[in-house]
Amino acid sequence: MAATINNLLFSFVLLLGAVFLLVSPASCNENLLEKCGIKTIYQLGDSISDTGNLVRENPQVVCARRPYGQYFFMNATGRCSDGLLIIDFFTISAALPFLEAYLNPNPRSLDSGMNFAVAGATALPAHTLAEKSISSPVTNSSLDKQLDWMFTYFNGSVCNTTDCLNKLNNTLFMVGEIGGNDYNYALFRGKSLEEVTLLVPDVVQAIKEAATRVIGYGARRIVVPGNFPIGCFPSYLTLFQTTDSAAYDELHCLKELNNLAIYHNQHLQQTLEELKMEYPDVVIVYGDYFSAYMWILQNVHSLGFDAATAQKACCGLGGEYDFSASRICGTPGVPVCANPLERISWDGIHSTHKANGFMASWIIQDILPKFQCSYP
């Protein structure tokens, strides 16, 4: 009976994904990743892509309870959104089931991939951040630990068969998004932008080492996403609010915070070019999450979002942007907006189901030409 229910859910997900993405210019409803031959996906990262690992470490976190998941799931799954994440829409495009969280007991589907991402995770280990007087308060499952999990998983479940190489040739490895929390924790604890900017080379080096390890595991197609325009997020717009109009750009995003993300992304892209030279037989693609998010902000009307509330949290309370660090989404008394489909931000930090779908569509269209697909 459980298998039947799971199969019905999977079929429903594919149908819903097709219907939802039909309105998107990127047309992921055509199963573009499936046509490209992607049969397996492995995910490393943080809350942007965690499908349930943090809630196994700490069942009390807010993403473990309603209203998280309310748009799509009957119960909260640990996804930090009202519905699906970017990686969920990737699996729909590949005609795969949603990725199981690695820490789930008895994962349902091993052949289609695995999710090692943990909400709150950092690129740098906690002890390295501590040496810089930065705490990692949510989890110690940083990128290096996730890679250890992947190594253990591969040794026990994937690469002990003769068709391992064939599987990896049809596999997509998502190395991130990761690194955003390294900067978040530093900024939220009073570090200056100049101090945080000094973290960028170390964070990018950790991501490079992760990509190198993944290549060592046999990866042949890798996407390494960059950071988002954090200066456009309700959390940052609230915490760094200023009366200086010159601090904001034409989309009312904080310029200096976006410049930090741009600096990280430029450094990351340069590092990926170096990796491509070292591994010419591996397809290494930069995931431009920054541009995908900005595209949504620049097209709020045509995409069906409400321009008046585009930079307000849907689930939140307080101030101009409906966000308060002391009363976050999921805590008692914090309301949810009447129509989440009009909002880009779910809780001030993470995006809504609808925004995630549009970003996934944009990103898939952007990365596919670089994937060297062999269409049937």
Side-chain angles (χ1 to χ4, degrees):
M1 176 64 72
T4 301
I5 293 174
N6 286 333
N7 290 336
L8 288 172
L9 176 60
F10 177 46
S11 299
F12 171 73
V13 165
L14 289 179
L15 177 61
L16 180 61
V19 171
F20 172 76
L21 291 169
L22 185 62
V23 301
S24 169
S27 298
C28 279
N29 55 292
E30 296 177 0
N31 288 349
L32 295 180
L33 291 180
E34 180 188 26
K35 291 180 180 179
C36 188
I38 300 300
K39 298 180 179 178
T40 311
I41 301 177
Y42 296 107
Q43 174 78 61
L44 301 160
D46 55 24
S47 59
I48 301 302
S49 47
D50 181 4
T51 56
N53 283 310
L54 181 62
V55 299
R56 294 297 176 182
E57 293 185 347
N58 181 5
Q60 302 305 312
V61 295
V62 291
C63 291
R65 56 181 179 266
R66 306 282 274 182
Y68 285 90
Q70 69 170 23
Y71 179 78
F72 192 87
F73 300 97
M74 293 185 65
N75 298 298
T77 63
R79 289 168 171 82
C80 294
S81 177
D82 60 325
L84 300 183
L85 308 178
I86 291 173
I87 185 58
D88 293 316
F89 288 101
F90 269 52
T91 60
I92 290 172
S93 181
L96 297 173
F98 295 146
L99 298 186
E100 282 281 350
Y102 175 73
L103 296 181
N104 282 354
N106 304 314
R108 183 181 68 247
S109 177
L110 299 176
D111 291 338
S112 59
M114 188 61 62
N115 194 328
F116 304 94
V118 183
T122 53
L124 296 172
H127 65 84
T128 301
L129 289 171
E131 292 169 0
K132 304 175 185 294
S133 301
I134 302 169
S135 63
S136 181
V138 179
T139 178
N140 288 325
S141 298
S142 53
L143 189 53
D144 58 340
K145 185 169 184 179
Q146 294 177 31
L147 287 160
D148 290 342
W149 290 345
M150 181 180 282
F151 178 76
T152 300
Y153 171 74
F154 274 19
N155 277 351
S157 303
V158 178
C159 285
N160 57 357
T161 61
T162 56
D163 64 344
C164 173
L165 185 59
N166 290 332
K167 285 184 177 180
L168 293 178
N169 283 337
N170 296 313
T171 296
L172 173 59
F173 287 80
M174 300 290 296
V175 183
E177 186 272 337
I178 193 74
N181 286 325
D182 301 62
Y183 309 136
N184 293 342
Y185 298 149
L187 287 167
F188 292 163
R189 280 156 182 76
K191 297 283 186 181
S192 68
L193 271 171
E194 291 75 16
E195 290 175 299
V196 177
T197 300
L198 294 175
L199 286 174
V200 171
D202 290 341
V203 169
V204 171
Q205 179 63 27
I207 297 171
K208 178 183 179 180
E209 291 172 0
T212 302
R213 282 184 66 178
V214 167
I215 292 170
Y217 298 160
R220 289 298 173 263
R221 285 177 177 167
I222 302 173
V223 172
V224 184
N227 202 353
F228 289 90
I230 58 175
C232 305
F233 286 11
S235 55
Y236 277 108
L237 286 167
T238 298
L239 296 173
F240 294 89
Q241 193 166 8
T242 174
T243 57
D244 180 10
S245 60
Y248 299 90
D249 65 14
E250 66 279 4
L251 294 174
H252 197 70
C253 301
L254 288 162
K255 295 178 185 176
E256 289 191 345
L257 287 167
N258 276 0
N259 286 339
L260 170 63
I262 290 170
Y263 179 66
H264 166 92
N265 292 341
Q266 290 173 337
H267 200 80
L268 178 61
Q269 289 175 79
Q270 179 182 348
T271 298
L272 295 182
E273 290 302 316
E274 296 168 1
L275 267 183
K276 292 177 186 179
M277 296 292 291
E278 294 177 41
Y279 300 98
D281 296 331
V282 180
V283 178
I284 303 170
V285 178
Y286 170 70
D288 195 353
Y289 285 23
F290 188 102
S291 293
Y293 196 96
M294 293 299 287
W295 172 75
I296 291 178
L297 283 179
Q298 292 161 354
N299 294 277
V300 287
H301 288 293
S302 61
L303 297 177
F305 296 101
D306 179 11
T309 60
Q311 287 169 305
K312 293 177 179 285
C314 173
C315 180
L317 182 67
E320 184 178 349
Y321 306 99
D322 291 338
F323 176 85
S324 170
S326 61
R327 299 191 69 186
I328 59 175
C329 180
T331 55
V334 174
V336 176
C337 66
N339 188 1
L341 293 176
E342 294 181 347
R343 301 289 178 98
I344 297 170
S345 178
W346 167 242
D347 59 7
I349 301 170
H350 309 97
S351 299
T352 59
H353 171 98
K354 180 178 175 179
N356 282 330
F358 278 118
M359 279 190 286
S361 300
W362 191 101
I363 294 160
I364 289 171
Q365 283 286 321
D366 186 56
I367 64 178
L368 268 181
K370 306 158 192 172
F371 262 16
Q372 302 176 9
C373 301
S374 299
Y375 293 102

